[in-house]
Amino acid sequence: MRRIVLAGLVAASPLATADSNHYNNMLIGDRASGMAGAYTSISDDPSGLYYNPSGIVFAGARNFSASVNAYHVSSTRYKNAIDGHEWERTSSSLLPNFFGVIQPLGKGIVGFSYAVTDSIIEDQDSHFTATSLGDFYININHRDVTNKFGPSYAYAISDKLSIGATLYAHTRNYKLIVNQLTQDTALGSYRLVNSYQEASEFGMEPVVGVMWSPADKVSLGLSVRKTTITSSSAGSQTITSSDAAATATVDSASDDSKRKLPTETRVGVAYFPSNRLLLSADIMHYGATQASGDAYLAKQAVTNLALGMEYYPTRSWAVRAGLYTNHSNTPSLDAAKTTMQEDHIDMMGITLSLTRMTRTSSITGGIGYSRGSGEWQNEATMPIKSVDADSLTAYLSSSYSY
Amino acid sequence: MRRLLAILALTVIGTPLSAWSNDFRERIHATVADTNTIEADTIAEIEFGREVAARILGSNRLLRNEEFTHYLGLVGNRVARNAGRPELVWHFAVLDTSAINAYTAPGGYVFVTKGALQQMDDEAELAAVLAHEVAHVTQRHIVKALNIKGADNTTTGSLARLVGSVNESTRTAFNQAVDGAVQILFEKGLNHSDEFQADQVGITLLANSGYDPMALVRYLSRIGEAKSESTRVLTMTHPAVTQRLDLLNTLITEEKLADMAGQRSRTRFVNNLDTHGFNSNNTGEQP
Amino acid sequence: MNRHLLTFLIALPFTVSGAETLYVQSAKARLMEQPSFSAPVLTEIVKGDTVDVEQRSDRWIRVNHGLVSGWVPSLLLSAQKPVEKVTVLGEESNVSGTARRRASAVITAGATRGLTADDRLRLDAQEVTNYGALRWVENIAVTEDQIDHFEREGKE
């Protein structure tokens, strides 16, 4: 009985499905989310702890906290997956995905924040009948969450220049359970594959940032970060049974290789033409990374862009909007290649939020939507097909100064 | 490449201080307040200021002379009513110490020491010192430094606290802020640009109330030469007198303040000091 | 992002500013012919009067009040209407401290934001604060009329 192979479920190694192809999946921060994350040269509130910690010395209040609760859904639709049928994978999660607090300490400002930069929770079952191989059933339980948390400190060198740093602890937990059954009742044959994979990693991510105002109403920001995984463990167990064998086969694999994550450099510029309007732009560059063990493939360099805007039509209301890119770190698919190739989907997103302010607090409701299309391949040397994906985040956040 | 970085670094660090302020980051919700917010803020400021004032009076003895304090109040209010804080009720009093200094608590409480009074030559100089202190309150230097704001009891504020699940211990934060203010007044001093601003604003207040603006210059020059022990706290908490005088003289030249004919009211001032037993040490200049 | 959106965003800052009206905050303000205290006085306006901004220069603003245009120190003007005097009352009237008080917004603000009456008494006892002296200071009242009179008689 031939195997049906679906994207992302069988790869060069049972564990390579733990790899991740995008760096900008989740909007982070209260004010920053509405501005598509173009925040490196603003960062003057707790959201800044994530983007550019040096900005917090310019916060409007010295004691400040912010938190975000988000509902995040995403969907990827693989065209022509099986006998011309499309296969859709969806994920949805509801989570508090950011919290930050700052307060004065000594001559500078100290802060603490946590951010959930990736959250996938996928629970689904699909059923394809009467394919060329019979009936095909698949159910998936997939969880992949990345958390960062840690302290920050920033110091103003002058009223125009500041430096800051954040030290994040990075944790990631990944689990994938897939059950696949192919059976042809007419022929009386079947094949059942149950696969369990999990990976967890822990690392440190120092972030260093600087903020400079070269001219009135203009701010430039720069932050650099790199996550170094200090410990990692991944394992899998695959049980296969079919009518062709009297006993089931069990394949186990484990891999302790540490994923290599790129150096991320963010450069931003912000223009504050009036006390109602703010415009900003960020460029984020992620370096290329090497493969590690069997689980993690080499990744290409990625450059993402974000543009954001904030406008106050009245003293108590603010509207924020932005555009951003979320490009894939995998190479474009090449029909000539003979090894397995990963999905390549470049995404683009738009954000919009509405905030009600008082002088010391704010509540924001916002959405972010991203969409992209690309290519995928069931298995090495098989035809390259198209895939499209989108994701939606709806969030409610608040900030409070005291 | 390295040279380029060095030049960039020098450009960045060498950006002149205060060519423009960092206020451009402030968004409108923080700058423009409605009447209710002003009132809530002012209440918070006065509440806070009273605590600070009570501490000042705890560590320095109050000179309880009703008539002289009333005279002081007349001079002070004459200057203060030309400042931009019509919502405040101003209080002025004398501290019975030979140290030469003046203190302000937010919300409109101004104290001047007996030592300082004895260094003054005329009413304009007294007005000058009071004007500098009034300027600190007008410009909200202390409340800004400590971020004192009114309580936010609006629906939005309550909802924000609920969504954010922030637990605050307001009384602890408040106490720490009060200690911070006392520290600023007695040990650290406000930052120098605040002091220069208070001099600047003070001299404008003087001019606007009809007093001779040169009085501040005369007074500072005189105490710049005074005994070091009596000016210990003053020197610790303020920038050097020479620096202050330089900036003041620049301002006076720019605004042509020396040409203005302002009141000095020397006779009235000296009469008040003598009547209430201050025994002015000053031999006095010709008015 | 299409061109129209870009044009809109660029045009936005320029549409936000408009004619400005300011209020006089000080008891009185004089409109001067030049931005200087020794310039001729054109007219005198009082607290609450509105003026329209014509030009800004350093510490002075050229404004228009009725038919007169003149310079006023920027210190004396503000975008907010002058507010009535705010007083914080009724805190110390009962020195025994533990008596319940009428709940008012002011006292609630004071209680939640600051020391309670008990705290104050305790601090006074430790000689960290002196509220008795503060009350003495606050009881010395100075009226507008007295200040007016004082100003008029302020000759040598």
Side-chain angles (χ1 to χ4, degrees):
Chain A
M1 174 113 253
R2 259 205 313 131
R3 287 180 323 159
I4 289 185
V5 180
L6 287 175
L9 297 178
V10 177
S13 132
L15 295 168
T17 51
D19 219 341
S20 84
N21 300 342
H22 294 91
Y23 295 120
N24 204 14
N25 285 332
M26 195 75 109
L27 301 166
I28 297 291
D30 163 46
R31 192 170 166 217
S33 297
M35 299 177 72
Y39 214 60
T40 306
S41 52
I42 305 172
S43 285
D44 51 14
D45 61 22
S47 303
L49 294 169
Y50 177 79
Y51 293 89
N52 184 350
S54 63
I56 60 176
V57 295
F58 300 124
R62 290 159 69 72
N63 292 282
F64 215 147
S65 80
S67 69
V68 183
N69 297 294
Y71 177 66
H72 181 72
V73 294
S74 65
S75 149
T76 311
R77 294 168 294 280
Y78 295 93
K79 311 276 186 237
N80 206 5
I82 300 170
D83 284 355
H85 296 289
E86 175 184 276
W87 181 50
E88 181 177 13
R89 293 182 65 177
T90 60
S91 149
S92 72
S93 54
L94 176 63
L95 69 158
N97 82 340
F98 177 77
F99 173 74
V101 62
I102 63 173
Q103 72 173 71
L105 179 68
K107 292 193 174 155
I109 309 278
V110 70
F112 181 85
S113 60
Y114 85 72
V116 178
T117 52
D118 250 303
S119 173
I120 293 176
I121 300 180
E122 193 181 351
D123 276 308
Q124 62 182 90
D125 52 71
S126 302
H127 173 200
F128 301 86
T129 52
T131 68
S132 55
L133 296 167
D135 297 329
F136 179 62
Y137 300 83
I138 179 166
N139 61 52
I140 300 173
N141 175 289
H142 177 204
R143 258 149 241 284
D144 189 355
V145 182
T146 304
N147 286 297
K148 305 196 194 260
F149 56 93
S152 312
Y153 193 74
Y155 176 72
I157 294 172
S158 76
D159 63 345
K160 303 203 179 20
L161 178 66
S162 68
I163 53 170
T166 298
L167 183 63
Y168 276 138
H170 160 103
T171 71
R172 181 187 178 213
N173 288 287
Y174 161 88
K175 185 179 74 177
L176 174 67
I177 302 174
V178 184
N179 291 306
Q180 302 180 69
L181 169 68
T182 350
Q183 68 178 7
D184 190 332
T185 44
L187 292 177
S189 67
Y190 79 93
R191 182 186 167 89
L192 175 63
V193 180
N194 164 284
S195 140
Y196 171 81
Q197 300 171 22
E198 54 85 25
S200 67
E201 67 186 22
F202 179 84
M204 301 302 288
E205 179 180 345
V207 181
V208 176
V210 68
M211 189 80 78
W212 178 43
S213 170
D216 196 13
K217 303 188 201 292
V218 176
S219 172
L220 291 180
L222 167 72
S223 73
V224 179
R225 75 195 67 204
K226 183 174 171 68
T227 309
T228 305
I229 305 297
T230 55
S231 76
S232 172
S233 81
S236 77
Q237 185 181 75
T238 307
I239 301 171
T240 313
S241 75
S242 73
D243 62 286
T247 54
T249 54
V250 181
D251 293 303
S252 301
S254 74
D255 190 339
D256 285 347
S257 44
K258 305 181 192 15
R259 185 163 65 124
K260 302 263 185 286
L261 288 161
T263 303
E264 175 189 338
T265 309
R266 305 185 72 107
V267 177
V269 59
Y271 176 49
F272 300 72
S274 73
N275 64 2
R276 290 178 188 266
L277 181 65
L278 168 57
L279 302 167
S280 67
D282 266 26
I283 296 179
M284 294 87 75
H285 178 79
Y286 307 77
T289 55
Q290 294 177 320
S292 179
D294 291 328
Y296 306 114
L297 303 180
K299 298 290 177 183
Q300 306 214 298
V302 170
T303 302
N304 279 323
L305 178 67
L307 297 172
M309 172 213 90
E310 174 187 75
Y311 180 63
Y312 283 76
T314 73
R315 188 200 320 119
S316 319
W317 291 92
V319 175
R320 299 179 189 126
L323 296 170
Y324 67 99
T325 67
N326 185 16
H327 288 157
S328 176
N329 60 13
T330 56
S332 295
L333 274 71
D334 181 355
K337 256 180 100 175
T338 52
T339 49
M340 172 74 185
Q341 299 180 77
E342 293 182 284
D343 301 349
H344 178 94
I345 309 173
D346 286 334
M347 318 266 298
M348 262 199 66
I350 184 169
T351 62
L352 185 65
S353 74
L354 183 64
T355 307
R356 174 94 172 95
M357 332 264 323
T358 66
R359 217 155 26 94
T360 56
S361 66
S362 74
I363 297 201
T364 303
I367 52 168
Y369 176 72
S370 74
R371 181 178 185 85
S373 58
E375 295 169 324
W376 73 293
Q377 194 181 46
N378 292 70
E379 223 177 359
T381 71
M382 287 190 70
I384 293 177
K385 303 170 186 173
S386 66
V387 55
D388 56 51
D390 54 20
S391 82
L392 176 73
T393 308
Y395 59 93
L396 186 64
S397 65
S398 73
S399 73
Y400 184 71
S401 63
Y402 53 95
Chain B
M1 180 62 185
R2 209 180 291 167
R3 206 178 326 153
L4 197 65
L5 280 176
I7 293 171
L8 184 66
L10 281 173
T11 317
V12 169
I13 294 169
T15 314
L17 285 168
S18 306
W20 59 90
S21 77
N22 208 18
D23 291 343
F24 63 80
R25 285 179 176 273
E26 217 173 22
R27 304 290 85 201
I28 191 174
H29 70 281
T31 44
V32 177
D34 59 14
T35 321
N36 291 329
T37 333
I38 296 177
E39 197 176 303
D41 267 2
T42 311
I43 290 175
E45 182 183 338
I46 297 174
E47 280 290 325
F48 178 72
R50 293 191 77 241
E51 314 292 359
V52 176
R55 275 172 204 254
I56 294 172
L57 291 169
S59 46
N60 297 277
R61 197 172 53 172
L62 171 68
L63 199 145
R64 294 187 190 227
N65 181 314
E66 209 174 298
E67 246 186 70
F68 188 81
T69 307
H70 188 259
Y71 165 68
L72 190 68
L74 286 169
V75 178
N77 272 284
R78 177 178 166 182
V79 168
R81 71 176 182 175
N82 290 303
R85 305 266 336 248
E87 68 275 14
L88 295 179
V89 176
W90 297 86
H91 300 284
F92 300 85
V94 184
L95 298 176
D96 195 355
T97 164
S98 55
I100 302 173
N101 209 347
Y103 301 100
T104 334
Y109 296 88
V110 179
F111 303 95
V112 63
T113 61
K114 189 168 86 170
L117 285 169
Q118 288 168 336
Q119 290 289 320
M120 292 168 193
D121 200 37
D122 54 44
E123 197 174 280
E125 290 184 15
L126 171 58
V129 169
L130 297 180
H132 174 102
E133 298 306 319
V134 165
H136 278 312
V137 177
T138 312
Q139 304 307 111
R140 293 181 171 86
H141 288 153
I142 296 183
V143 294
K144 268 191 190 161
L146 297 170
N147 198 43
I148 305 293
K149 285 190 184 142
D152 185 349
N153 292 317
T154 61
T155 317
T156 310
S158 309
L159 220 55
R161 283 197 287 280
L162 195 66
V163 171
S165 306
V166 172
N167 287 322
E168 38 156 313
S169 178
T170 342
R171 268 172 60 171
T172 319
F174 183 79
N175 256 301
Q176 287 174 359
V178 172
D179 285 344
V182 171
Q183 224 194 359
I184 286 176
L185 287 177
F186 291 104
E187 290 167 44
K188 293 200 303 215
L190 290 165
N191 72 53
H192 286 192
S193 65
D194 280 348
E195 288 300 329
F196 295 137
Q197 195 186 41
D199 280 341
Q200 225 181 57
V201 171
I203 215 169
T204 314
L205 288 175
L206 271 187
N208 216 58
S209 355
Y211 280 112
D212 175 21
M214 299 301 289
L216 184 57
V217 172
R218 284 197 300 274
Y219 176 74
L220 283 179
S221 313
R222 196 173 314 121
I223 60 164
E225 290 154 29
K227 305 197 294 275
S228 53
E229 178 49 40
S230 45
T231 52
R232 186 180 60 87
V233 176
L234 182 67
T235 346
M236 241 189 351
T237 56
H238 289 71
V241 170
T242 43
Q243 229 184 340
R244 292 172 71 180
L245 284 172
D246 279 341
L247 285 166
L248 277 173
N249 281 321
T250 312
L251 178 62
I252 287 166
T253 318
E254 273 172 23
E255 300 279 339
K256 301 195 198 64
L257 288 171
D259 298 338
M260 189 188 137
Q263 290 175 8
R264 289 166 64 167
S265 301
R266 182 159 192 279
T267 317
R268 180 163 69 184
F269 178 72
V270 170
N271 282 343
N272 268 292
L273 281 191
D274 290 343
T275 313
H276 300 286
F278 280 78
N279 301 321
S280 170
N281 296 329
N282 206 344
T283 51
E285 297 162 10
Q286 285 306 305
Chain C
M1 180 143 79
N2 61 38
R3 232 165 9 108
H4 295 291
L5 187 59
L6 196 62
T7 318
F8 169 72
L9 285 178
I10 290 171
L12 211 43
F14 300 102
T15 58
V16 174
S17 54
E20 238 187 309
T21 304
L22 300 178
Y23 296 87
V24 176
Q25 303 292 317
S26 54
K28 63 180 190 302
R30 291 189 296 260
L31 267 73
M32 318 297 277
E33 199 177 84
Q34 307 293 333
S36 159
F37 283 107
S38 33
V41 180
L42 297 173
T43 184
E44 199 174 270
I45 49 182
V46 296
K47 183 162 87 178
D49 280 346
T50 55
V51 292
D52 291 321
V53 175
E54 287 178 6
Q55 204 189 332
R56 284 176 187 269
S57 153
D58 264 357
R59 287 168 287 275
W60 294 81
I61 307 181
R62 190 176 153 84
V63 299
N64 178 298
H65 178 78
L67 297 168
V68 186
S69 265
W71 294 90
V72 180
S74 50
L75 212 53
L76 310 179
L77 303 173
S78 164
Q80 271 129 226
K81 268 180 82 158
V83 188
E84 291 304 306
K85 290 214 181 289
V86 175
T87 46
V88 172
L89 299 172
E91 296 289 325
E92 323 304 321
S93 50
N94 187 340
V95 181
S96 64
T98 51
R100 289 193 53 191
R101 297 173 209 283
R102 205 162 43 89
S104 76
V106 167
I107 291 172
T108 316
T112 53
R113 289 222 98 223
L115 306 177
T116 59
D118 290 344
D119 288 341
R120 289 194 183 99
L121 285 176
R122 190 163 28 87
L123 282 174
D124 263 8
Q126 294 167 4
E127 284 166 26
V128 177
T129 58
N130 191 337
Y131 281 91
L134 184 64
R135 280 194 290 283
W136 186 92
V137 172
E138 286 170 336
N139 282 329
I140 310 270
V142 169
T143 68
E144 283 295 310
D145 286 341
Q146 286 172 345
I147 304 170
D148 289 335
H149 179 77
F150 182 74
E151 206 171 310
R152 274 195 300 273
E153 69 159 30
K155 307 294 186 215
E156 295 300 324

